[in-house]
Amino acid sequence: MSTILDVAKLAGVSTATVSRVINLPQTVRESTRKKVQHAMGVCNYKYNALARGFATKKTNTIGLIIPNINNPVFAESTRGVQDYADSNKTQIILGNTYYQYEKEEGLINTLREKQVDGFIITTTNPKSIVLNSLVEEKVPFVLLYSTPKKGAFSAVGVDNFKGGYLATEHLVKLGHKRIGMIAGKFSISDRSLHRWHGYRQCLKNYNIDYDNKLLFQTNYSLAGGKVSMEKMLALQDPPTAVFCSNDYMALGAMKGARECGLSLPQDMSIVGFDDIQIASYVVPRLTTIHQPAYEMGKLGAKLLFSLMEEKTGKPVQKMLASSLVVRGSTHGV
Amino acid sequence: MSTILDVAKLAGVSTATVSRVINLPQTVRESTRKKVQHAMGVCNYKYNALARGFATKKTNTIGLIIPNINNPVFAESTRGVQDYADSNKTQIILGNTYYQYEKEEGLINTLREKQVDGFIITTTNPKSIVLNSLVEEKVPFVLLYSTPKKGAFSAVGVDNFKGGYLATEHLVKLGHKRIGMIAGKFSISDRSLHRWHGYRQCLKNYNIDYDNKLLFQTNYSLAGGKVSMEKMLALQDPPTAVFCSNDYMALGAMKGARECGLSLPQDMSIVGFDDIQIASYVVPRLTTIHQPAYEMGKLGAKLLFSLMEEKTGKPVQKMLASSLVVRGSTHGV
DNA sequence: TTGTAGGCGTTATCAG
DNA sequence: CTGATAACGCCTACAA
C-alpha cells in the first residue's frame, strides 16, 4: 500500500501538497495538481480514511443502535438514517440490542472506543446510566422512537400516548367494551408503556373499567402476539377487541385468533401500531397507527448531524404526528 | 480525553506497560498491573480503538453490503452475520445498494478506505470489476446468497437453480400447465436468473412449453409483485399458477390476484422463495422455498473470519440446502 | 502556492 | 517483567 509520502516523492512535492489535492484541490495550482493526480495513479494510491480519522478526530461513522433489525419498522428507520448519512458521506455501524440493556451498554461502549462521531439509539431504558454518561461526556446522540417530553436527551419519535389513545378510541367507537392489550414488556420499552397509558386513559374517558387481566406483556414478535392472543382467548370473559403495541404482534395475534377458530374481523377486532408495509397486504388489512419510520430515521440523522456540528446545542425533542389508519381488521360489535 | 501516556505517567510506568495491561494482563506483575488499573480509573481513561487499528492495521470492523435491509430475508442474514461477528468482537458497517451497481462500487470503495477487515456482499453483479479488484488486492470477502459453482470468489448461498426447479415442479405436480414467473430483474440479480433457469428446466422436463409472455421481471418488492400479477391476469390466456422469485413479491402477487377478483388459492396458486417469517402468518399460508437466511449469514461470517486469518486461502463455496415448504397458497387445478 | 515538522494514541521491537 | 522509541498515514499550523 502506497501512502501520500510515496505519491509526494514520485510527484516531487511535499506530503502537504498531496494532502491538499485530496482535500482542497482548488488551493493548489493546476499543473502541480495534475502532477500529483498522475502520481497517485501510477503508484495505485489508496486513501486511508482511518489515518485521517485518527488525525482529525472525526471518523464519518455513526453508531445506530436498535432492538432488532428483524422488525420491519426498524428496518425502515434504519434506511432513513442510512440514506441521510450516506448523503453526508458517513456510514453507520449497526448493532442490535435484542432489548437487553447489557448489550446496549456494551455496544455503546465499544462504538465509543471506535470513535464514532455520534449515535442514534432506540433505547431499552431511557433512564440508563450509559445514556447519561453520553451527555456528561458530550457525545452527540439522539433517541429514536422515544419522546421524552423534556430532559437532557435529544429525540425524535411519535406521541406514543396519543397513538395508544387513538387506537383504543377507534375500538370503543365501534362499540367494543372489553378491549385487551398485547404490549411489549414495559421494562424494556418506554414506547410500549406510553401506548398503554394512552389505552388506559381512553378507557377511563369512555367510562370503561380497566381490567388488568386483559393486559399481556410479551416479546415484540410474531410469536409473542400469537401466544398472547391464545392466552387471552382462554380467559373466562375474553375481549372482543385487542390493541397490540406493534404490527408484528398484531399479525401474530391474528394468527392466534384464527387458530382458536375465530373468524376475522367479525369475531375479533385487532389494531396494531407502526403501519409496516406488509400491514396493508394481509387479509384482512390491518388497522393500525401509522408511524413515519423512514422519515423518523431521516430526521433523527439530520438532528444528529446538527448536534455534531454545534456541540454546544441544547437537547431538542421532535414529536412527529402519528395517525390512525382504519382498514379491515376492525369491526363493529 | 486521557491517553495511555497520561496513565503511564500517573502510574509511574511506561506506555508499553500500560498497553500490556490492556492487551496481555498476564504478562505484567500483579502489583504494577493494579497500579496501572488504578491510574486508569483516576484519569478516566478511555481506550481508543481507532488508534489501535491504525497501529495494527486491523479495525475489527467488517463491511456488510446488501441490496435492501427492507427485505426481511436480508434482515435475517444480517442478524446472522452480526451475531457471529459480535461473538468475535467485531462490528459491522451496513450499506444498502438498492440493487444499483454504482452504489455497490461506491460503498465497497469507501469502506475499503475505512480499512474494514473484510466484506460480506450480496452482489448486484457477480462479474463486476470491484469484486475482481478485491481478489486482486487480496481483500477478504464472501458473497452471500449467490453460489458461483467455481471461480475466484468465496461464497455461501443456496442452490437457486434447484429452488426454482422444486417450486415449479410442485406446481406441475398439482396439475398446472400454465405457470408464470414473477422474477427479480436478471440484470441485477444472478439469484433470480438461476431460479428462472430452474423453472425453465423443470417445464422442459415435464414437456410444458415455455411461454415468454408469462415471465415478468420487476422490482424485488411487494408493489412489484402486485403490479406484475395484475399485468399477468390481463393476459389473453393468464396462468393458473405463479412462481415468484421471492416471498415479498409473492405476498404482493397475492394481493394483486385478490384485487382482480380471484380467490386464493382456488383461482391462483402462488409459490414464493425465501420463507421469511411472515410467510407462515398470512392467509393462505405461503408455499415457498425455504432458505436458511440466518444460518447463511452466520456461516458467511464464519467463512470470512477464517479467510481473514489465513490470507492465503483459496476461495471456498458453500451451497446450503434449500427445500420446498408446502403450505396453503398452492392448490390443484 | 508550497514546504517543514510536529502531533494524533497505540503497538511492537529490541534492549535491559 | 519493564522501558525507550520508532513506526502507522494523514493533517495542519506555521513558514517561506
Side-chain angles (χ1 to χ4, degrees):
Chain A
M1 279 297 91
S2 52
T3 74
I4 55 170
L5 184 58
D6 301 313
V7 176
K9 283 178 185 162
L10 201 65
V13 300
S14 74
T15 62
T17 299
V18 177
S19 180
R20 286 191 195 98
V21 340
I22 293 172
N23 299 296
L24 307 160
Q26 335 68 311
T27 71
V28 24
R29 187 187 303 147
E30 182 171 355
S31 59
T32 82
R33 192 195 318 155
K34 296 252 155 126
K35 237 181 1 186
V36 171
Q37 286 166 336
H38 177 256
M40 298 201 300
V42 329
C43 66
N44 191 26
Y45 170 71
K46 302 273 192 228
Y47 186 67
N48 185 328
L50 188 68
R52 166 185 228 264
F54 179 51
T56 62
K57 301 185 170 313
K58 183 150 191 309
T59 56
N60 290 309
T61 306
I62 62 179
L64 175 55
I65 293 176
I66 61 177
N68 197 337
I69 192 61
N70 220 5
N71 184 333
V73 237
F74 293 129
E76 272 305 287
S77 51
T78 294
R79 282 184 52 232
V81 348
Q82 273 187 136
D83 288 355
Y84 190 90
D86 188 66
S87 67
N88 283 60
K89 313 251 179 253
T90 106
Q91 279 67 50
I92 72 167
I93 297 185
L94 180 69
N96 291 144
T97 65
Y98 294 119
Y99 291 101
Q100 294 167 239
Y101 174 68
E102 311 73 49
K103 292 232 178 202
E104 182 173 331
E105 182 172 16
L107 269 168
I108 291 178
N109 287 331
T110 81
L111 295 194
R112 283 192 64 184
E113 292 186 350
K114 290 201 173 173
Q115 314 298 118
V116 297
D117 298 329
F119 286 97
I120 293 186
I121 304 171
T122 299
T123 188
T124 264
N125 177 7
K127 302 196 171 108
S128 71
I129 58 172
V130 234
L131 258 30
N132 279 299
S133 74
L134 289 181
V135 340
E136 271 174 28
E137 297 168 35
K138 301 197 190 310
V139 178
F141 74 103
V142 1
L143 256 31
L144 218 57
Y145 289 96
S146 296
T147 42
K149 301 243 165 93
K150 51 187 176 172
F153 304 159
S154 288
V156 3
V158 300
D159 189 335
N160 290 298
F161 176 91
K162 185 179 158 205
Y165 192 100
L166 289 175
T168 312
E169 188 175 42
H170 170 61
L171 294 170
V172 170
K173 287 190 171 167
L174 284 172
H176 294 279
K177 303 288 183 204
R178 276 190 78 67
I179 302 173
M181 177 165 177
I182 297 177
K185 297 200 187 89
F186 298 156
S187 58
I188 55 169
S189 170
D190 60 319
R191 285 87 65 196
S192 184
L193 178 65
H194 293 154
R195 290 167 199 176
W196 174 69
H197 282 322
Y199 155 86
R200 254 192 105 155
Q201 184 63 50
C202 178
L203 292 183
K204 192 170 179 185
N205 288 3
Y206 284 91
N207 296 309
I208 298 178
D209 285 340
Y210 170 75
D211 182 351
N212 200 46
K213 286 200 281 307
L214 295 186
L215 170 68
F216 283 78
Q217 291 184 52
T218 180
N219 292 328
Y220 264 134
S221 67
L222 288 164
K226 176 169 176 288
V227 169
S228 296
M229 176 58 88
E230 287 163 351
K231 285 186 189 160
M232 214 171 254
L233 291 173
L235 253 35
Q236 297 257 137
D237 189 9
T240 60
V242 171
F243 164 46
C244 300
S245 63
N246 83 6
D247 282 357
Y248 240 33
M249 286 173 155
L251 262 18
M254 284 174 67
K255 178 164 182 167
R258 273 199 265 241
E259 293 198 351
C260 290
L262 304 194
S263 35
L264 302 181
Q266 296 78 13
D267 301 336
M268 172 65 72
S269 285
I270 294 177
V271 12
F273 201 114
D274 285 347
D275 195 16
I276 59 180
Q277 236 188 326
I278 196 79
S280 59
Y281 278 76
V282 296
V283 177
R285 294 164 70 227
L286 185 64
T287 294
T288 190
I289 301 295
H290 178 76
Q291 190 167 205
Y294 180 82
E295 289 72 22
M296 268 176 43
K298 227 167 175 164
L299 192 57
K302 190 173 177 183
L303 181 53
L304 178 61
F305 276 86
S306 74
L307 254 41
M308 296 188 311
E309 278 176 15
E310 1 143 4
K311 284 241 186 183
T312 159
K314 288 159 203 152
V316 351
Q317 285 102 29
K318 302 219 180 193
M319 188 103 90
L320 273 52
S322 58
S323 58
L324 174 70
V325 183
V326 178
R327 292 200 271 245
S329 67
T330 46
H331 192 269
V333 286
Chain B
M1 280 296 93
S2 51
T3 73
I4 56 170
L5 183 59
D6 301 313
V7 175
K9 282 179 187 162
L10 201 65
V13 300
S14 74
T15 61
T17 299
V18 177
S19 181
R20 287 190 194 97
V21 341
I22 293 172
N23 299 297
L24 307 160
Q26 332 73 309
T27 71
V28 24
R29 185 189 304 150
E30 181 173 354
S31 59
T32 82
R33 192 196 316 155
K34 296 252 155 127
K35 234 177 10 184
V36 171
Q37 285 165 337
H38 177 255
M40 298 200 300
V42 329
C43 66
N44 191 27
Y45 170 72
K46 303 273 191 224
Y47 185 68
N48 185 328
L50 189 68
R52 165 184 228 265
F54 179 52
T56 61
K57 301 184 170 314
K58 184 149 190 309
T59 56
N60 290 312
T61 306
I62 63 179
L64 174 56
I65 294 178
I66 62 177
N68 197 336
I69 192 60
N70 220 3
N71 184 333
V73 237
F74 294 129
E76 272 305 287
S77 50
T78 294
R79 282 184 51 233
V81 348
Q82 274 187 136
D83 288 354
Y84 190 90
D86 189 66
S87 67
N88 283 60
K89 313 253 179 248
T90 107
Q91 279 67 51
I92 72 166
I93 296 186
L94 180 70
N96 291 143
T97 66
Y98 293 119
Y99 291 100
Q100 294 167 239
Y101 174 67
E102 312 73 49
K103 293 231 178 203
E104 182 173 331
E105 181 170 17
L107 268 168
I108 291 178
N109 287 331
T110 79
L111 295 194
R112 284 191 65 184
E113 292 187 350
K114 290 201 173 174
Q115 314 298 118
V116 296
D117 299 328
F119 286 97
I120 293 186
I121 304 171
T122 299
T123 188
T124 262
N125 177 6
K127 304 198 172 107
S128 72
I129 58 171
V130 233
L131 257 30
N132 280 299
S133 73
L134 289 182
V135 339
E136 272 173 28
E137 298 169 33
K138 301 196 190 309
V139 178
F141 74 102
V142 1
L143 255 33
L144 217 57
Y145 290 96
S146 297
T147 43
K149 302 239 165 95
K150 50 187 179 174
F153 303 160
S154 288
V156 4
V158 299
D159 188 335
N160 289 299
F161 176 91
K162 184 179 158 205
Y165 193 99
L166 290 175
T168 311
E169 188 175 44
H170 170 62
L171 293 170
V172 169
K173 287 189 171 168
L174 284 172
H176 294 279
K177 303 287 185 206
R178 277 192 76 68
I179 302 173
M181 177 166 177
I182 298 177
K185 298 199 186 92
F186 298 155
S187 58
I188 54 170
S189 170
D190 60 319
R191 284 88 64 196
S192 184
L193 178 65
H194 293 155
R195 289 167 198 176
W196 174 70
H197 282 322
Y199 155 87
R200 253 191 105 156
Q201 184 63 51
C202 178
L203 292 183
K204 192 170 180 184
N205 287 3
Y206 284 91
N207 295 309
I208 297 178
D209 286 340
Y210 171 76
D211 183 350
N212 200 47
K213 286 201 281 308
L214 295 187
L215 169 68
F216 284 79
Q217 290 184 53
T218 181
N219 292 329
Y220 263 134
S221 67
L222 288 164
K226 176 168 175 289
V227 169
S228 296
M229 176 57 90
E230 287 163 351
K231 285 186 188 160
M232 216 172 251
L233 291 173
L235 253 35
Q236 297 256 138
D237 189 7
T240 60
V242 170
F243 164 45
C244 300
S245 62
N246 83 5
D247 282 357
Y248 240 34
M249 286 171 154
L251 263 16
M254 284 173 67
K255 178 162 180 165
R258 275 200 264 241
E259 291 198 352
C260 290
L262 304 194
S263 35
L264 303 180
Q266 296 78 11
D267 301 336
M268 172 65 72
S269 286
I270 294 177
V271 14
F273 200 114
D274 285 346
D275 194 17
I276 59 179
Q277 235 188 328
I278 195 79
S280 59
Y281 278 76
V282 297
V283 176
R285 294 164 71 228
L286 185 64
T287 294
T288 190
I289 301 296
H290 178 77
Q291 190 167 205
Y294 180 83
E295 288 73 22
M296 268 176 43
K298 227 166 175 165
L299 192 57
K302 190 173 177 184
L303 181 52
L304 178 62
F305 276 86
S306 73
L307 256 39
M308 295 189 310
E309 279 176 14
E310 0 141 8
K311 283 242 184 181
T312 160
K314 288 159 203 151
V316 352
Q317 284 102 28
K318 303 220 180 192
M319 188 103 89
L320 273 53
S322 58
S323 58
L324 173 69
V325 183
V326 178
R327 292 199 273 245
S329 67
T330 46
H331 191 269
V333 285

